[in-house]
Amino acid sequence: MATRFFAHSAPERGDWEPLKEHLELVAGRASRYASAFGAEHEARLAGLLHDLGKYSPRFLQRLENKARHLDHWTPGASVVLREYKQHGIAAALAIQGHHVGLQCAADPSIKGLLPGRVTPADGLTFTEDDPEVLLERLANDNLEPPPLDGSIYTRGDPKVGAMLDVRMLFSALVDADFLETEAHFDRDSQGNRRYRPETPDLDPERALEALDAHLVTLAEKNRHRSAEAVQRLRADLLEACREGASAPRGLFTLTAPTGAGKTLAMLAFALRHARRHGLRRIVMAIPFLSILEQNAKVYRE
């Protein structure tokens, strides 16, 4: 009788998640996420092979609490790099990083995945020493990695853009893996997976109505609290941001003193720019958690 391989355990053995099911679900979700930036095939590849090392009796022992300190992610990353070479760098980094964190595409991270140099993560042991055995078990589950004729990452691309491309692919894989794993463990009384609500689509028109109404109320409140010169500066800044939103897509900068109303002015720009160009998301990236939380509070209000 052929061995059955599982991705995750459960209180009852009959509720353990088959590995084939987990890989298909993660691959499908990661591919959907990555389709927004043209990396659906790479994301599907990463999803199918991210847990390749779980096709192993040693990993079954891990699920039974009979083994510890196993590396089940490096084999998949190594196989991707071996089979897809340059086109597989981004997917290999995503797979390698989904448990240990995203590594750098420069040496020695990539060399450590090359045939003849592959070693498990520090202090760990491979679940299976022969990747060909893992690929055979994958094929026995009727799973086949898709072909790749290109990649969102190419060595020699501008470093910041290349870094962001790899991070986007990594994010698609990690989010898909996390959400599918969470749903496996969070089931209803009938045993069906329960997923957290999907992020709503951006509705810039509705958001702008709320923002503009809020800005009117805020201006009225501040009319007797702030000096006339400060009020004039805030109004000028807001209007400049609104006007700038009609420009073609590109890079923009906003420089203004503290208290000038940048938090809401840049949101006014972003929503109008998103509406004009049909953008899917507004992403706020700030290097300090305290400021990020402060801005989030303002936007929720």
Side-chain angles (χ1 to χ4, degrees), residues 80-253:
V80 166
L81 196 60
R82 183 190 73 186
E83 296 297 321
Y84 298 87
K85 298 180 174 57
Q86 291 291 323
H87 291 166
I89 291 175
L93 287 170
I95 294 171
Q96 179 194 41
H98 87 277
H99 272 284
V100 298
L102 187 61
Q103 305 298 302
C104 181
D107 298 340
S109 298
I110 288 295
K111 283 188 177 180
L113 298 176
L114 291 172
R117 302 188 184 187
V118 186
T119 56
D122 289 346
L124 305 183
T125 303
F126 282 141
T127 52
E128 170 59 57
D129 297 319
D130 186 355
E132 297 305 322
V133 171
L134 298 172
L135 289 172
E136 182 179 341
R137 291 167 181 162
L138 180 79
N140 289 341
D141 258 349
N142 296 313
L143 296 179
E144 183 178 356
L148 283 182
D149 55 7
S151 172
I152 58 169
Y153 170 78
T154 302
R155 284 194 169 189
D157 285 349
K159 289 184 178 181
V160 173
M163 176 269 291
L164 289 173
D165 286 341
V166 175
R167 284 184 181 274
M168 290 293 286
L169 183 66
F170 175 68
S171 177
L173 173 63
V174 170
D175 286 358
D177 187 28
F178 182 94
L179 292 173
E180 292 299 342
T181 300
E182 179 183 64
H184 162 70
F185 286 108
D186 183 22
R187 295 178 182 263
D188 61 24
S189 57
Q190 283 74 46
N192 299 313
R193 292 168 173 266
R194 289 193 298 193
Y195 291 94
R196 62 176 68 192
E198 292 282 340
T199 302
D201 291 335
L202 176 66
D203 185 349
E205 198 67 52
R206 177 172 170 270
L208 276 169
E209 289 179 7
L211 175 62
D212 288 343
H214 177 70
L215 286 167
V216 170
T217 301
L218 195 63
E220 184 62 27
K221 284 183 179 179
N222 290 332
R223 194 159 60 89
H224 302 296
R225 299 178 184 175
S226 304
E228 184 178 344
V230 174
Q231 295 179 48
R232 192 162 54 247
L233 172 63
R234 288 172 178 164
D236 289 347
L237 181 69
L238 176 61
E239 189 56 32
C241 287
R242 285 170 169 166
E243 290 178 359
S246 62
R249 292 170 62 180
L251 297 177
F252 301 84
T253 62

